[in-house]
């Protein structure tokens, strides 16, 4: 017998079925929350570093005496030490640490060079030449007098580097900026050495400034440098989005509507102002501008709207902790902060390199 034809499919089987699912509740934005949490933790670390800087030294002062001196106008000897010596030193550490960290972050962004910092690009050495000339030829012998000469020297060095890099084809490319900075830095080192060799009387005085330290600084220096630091801060924050676009490449940045030349000029000017003021106040303190930006990126990612604030907090933490450790490691003498920053910062940077966390 012939087989019966199969029954036609039912309408419910023939038509495709659609399942409507209720939308899930939107997940919270975990990345900004995590970044805000770690930034808050960094601020807490900064407050602890400030307290250590005010309380620890050749003469240990209890935290209660520190708060009494700051909040209640205490008249004890400890209160006088805190107000007259340690508060100016700590405030300068806050300003200089933030300035060098921000400058290093911006310079690495505009040059797209992970080892760029104010020292490698010749800006710090330009400030050194300014101080040497102030001592040897202008008869300046005070820290407050060094500030203006160091600032002018840093500015001229930065202009020279950009002028060299912007010549020829392609303009100021990252490679040309790095090579121009290396050339200017070598030239300025030679000039500094030549002046100190021919004028030995300036050597001891310059050596005190060249080593990089927060000791001996008073509140008058704070009044001289903070306007420059404020201007530099505004300039670097203005190019935060441009630095993010520039990290993707010049062509992509132009495609996103960014003027690459303006970003580099404004960012470089801001970095120069910050470096000039910071180096003028405390000397050429090394390693903060190199290490802190990488540490900040490892914590909050590559978005410069978060990297810049994190660097501005971590820079003072590193400098104040280095300065505090330098006071007590070999009592009654002090190890300058410029020496301690390298000793403390090197392990952090080596760890990041081994973990491949440094931006390529």
């Amino acid at each position: 017998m012939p087989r019966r034809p199969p029954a036609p499919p039912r309408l419910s089987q023939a038509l495709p079925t659609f399942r409507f699912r209720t939308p899930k509740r939107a997940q919270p934005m975990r990345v900004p929350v995590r970044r805000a949490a770690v930034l808050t933790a960094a601020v807490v670390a900064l407050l602890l570093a400030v307290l250590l800087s005010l309380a620890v030294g050749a003469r240990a002062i209890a935290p209660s005496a520190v708060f009494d001196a700051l909040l209640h106008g205490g008249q004890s000897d400890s209160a006088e030490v805190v107000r007259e010596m340690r508060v100016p030193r700590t405030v300068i550490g806050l300003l200089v640490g933030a300035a060098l960290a921000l400058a290093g972050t911006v310079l690495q962004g505009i040059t797209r060079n992970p080892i760029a910092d104010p020292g490698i690009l010749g800006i710090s050495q330009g400030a050194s030449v300014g101080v040497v000339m102030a001592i040897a030829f202008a008869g300046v012998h005070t820290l407050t007098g060094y500030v203006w000469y160091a600032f002018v020297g840093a500015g001229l060095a930065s202009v020279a580097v950009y002028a060299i890099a912007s010549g020829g084809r392609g303009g100021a490319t990252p490679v040309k900026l790095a090579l121009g900075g290396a050339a200017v830095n070598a030239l300025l080192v030679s000039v500094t050495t030549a002046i100190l060799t021919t004028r030995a009387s300036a050597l001891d005085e310059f050596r005190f400034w060249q080593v990089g330290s927060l000791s001996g600084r008073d509140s008058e220096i704070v009044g001289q440098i903070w306007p420059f630091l404020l201007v530099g801060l505004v300039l670097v924050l203005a190019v935060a989005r441009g630095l993010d676009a520039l990290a993707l490449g010049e062509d992509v940045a132009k495609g996103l509507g960014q003027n690459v030349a303006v970003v580099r000029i404004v960012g470089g000017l801001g970095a120069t102002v910050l470096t000039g003021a910071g180096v003028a106040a405390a000397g050429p303190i090394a390693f903060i501008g190199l290490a802190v930006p990488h540490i900040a990126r490892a914590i909050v990612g590559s978005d410069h709207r978060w990297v810049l604030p994190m660097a501005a907090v971590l820079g003072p933490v590193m400098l104040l902790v280095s300065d505090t450790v330098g006071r007590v490691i070999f009592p009654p003498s002090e190890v300058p902060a410029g020496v301690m920053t390298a000793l403390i910062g090197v392990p952090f940077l080596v760890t990041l390199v081994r973990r491949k966390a440094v931006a390529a």
Side-chain angles (χ1 to χ4, degrees), residues 164-173 176:
I164 292 172
S166 60
R169 296 182 179 179
T173 63
K176 292 169 68 176

Side-chain angles (χ1 to χ4, degrees), residues 53-190:
S53 179
L54 295 174
V56 177
R59 176 179 179 178
I61 299 175
S64 58
V66 172
F67 290 119
D68 181 61
L70 298 178
L71 303 178
H72 306 296
Q75 300 299 321
S76 63
D77 293 341
S78 297
E80 292 297 326
V81 170
V82 170
R83 284 195 298 266
E84 299 299 327
M85 299 178 62
R86 294 188 182 175
V87 167
R89 183 171 183 165
T90 302
V91 173
I92 291 176
L94 288 169
L95 297 178
V96 172
L100 296 179
L102 287 171
T105 303
V106 173
L107 290 175
Q108 290 176 10
I110 63 177
T111 62
R112 298 173 62 198
N113 186 343
I115 63 171
D117 79 331
I120 293 176
L121 294 181
I123 302 175
S124 297
Q125 194 61 41
S128 298
V129 171
V131 172
V132 167
M133 291 186 173
I135 297 172
F137 303 114
V140 178
H141 303 289
T142 62
L143 289 171
T144 54
Y146 297 160
V147 170
W148 299 104
Y149 289 90
F151 185 78
V152 172
L156 292 177
S158 178
V159 171
V161 171
Y162 189 81
I164 292 172
S166 60
R169 296 182 179 179
T173 63
V175 175
K176 292 169 68 176
L177 283 170
L179 293 176
V184 170
N185 188 71
L187 174 63
L188 295 177
V189 169
S190 301

